[in-house]
Amino acid sequence: MRYGQYFTIDTEAIKESPKTLGEVVREAKEYFVREFGEEEYSKYIANYQLDDDDSKLKKFEYLRGPKKIERVADNGHKYAFSRWDEPV
């Protein structure tokens, strides 16, 4: 609606064949390698790969995992805060 009048238009859907995620990733890799080279692609991917001993991965696992933390209330009472999330 604009200035108190409604405007409409007949539209047609754009028909595209669906792609799997694997196809999208493969096409993106081929494009990146074609533009920048295989060596640059390897460097780029290395930025997003995590090792098992990576500190970011350990922090993520701690934050997402079960916890039992001792806390102190305002009145001085000590209690154990515990949280457990079921894995998805």
Side-chain angles (χ1 to χ4, degrees), residues 12-51:
E12 291 184 25
I14 298 173
K15 297 187 178 170
E16 296 179 357
S17 59
K19 292 182 182 180
T20 64
L21 180 59
E23 291 171 336
V24 173
V25 170
R26 182 178 39 78
E27 289 175 9
K29 177 184 177 185
E30 290 171 357
Y31 171 78
F32 195 97
V33 169
R34 196 171 47 247
E35 293 292 318
F36 303 104
E38 187 72 38
E39 185 176 324
E40 286 296 318
Y41 178 75
S42 297
K43 290 178 186 176
Y44 175 77
I45 291 298
N47 289 334
Y48 296 98
Q49 292 176 335
L50 298 176
D51 298 326

Side-chain angles (χ1 to χ4, degrees), residues 54-68:
D54 191 5
S55 63
K56 290 180 182 179
L57 181 60
K58 289 181 181 182
K59 180 179 179 181
F60 177 79
E61 289 174 345
Y62 167 74
L63 292 173
R64 292 288 298 162
K67 295 175 193 60
K68 195 164 201 173

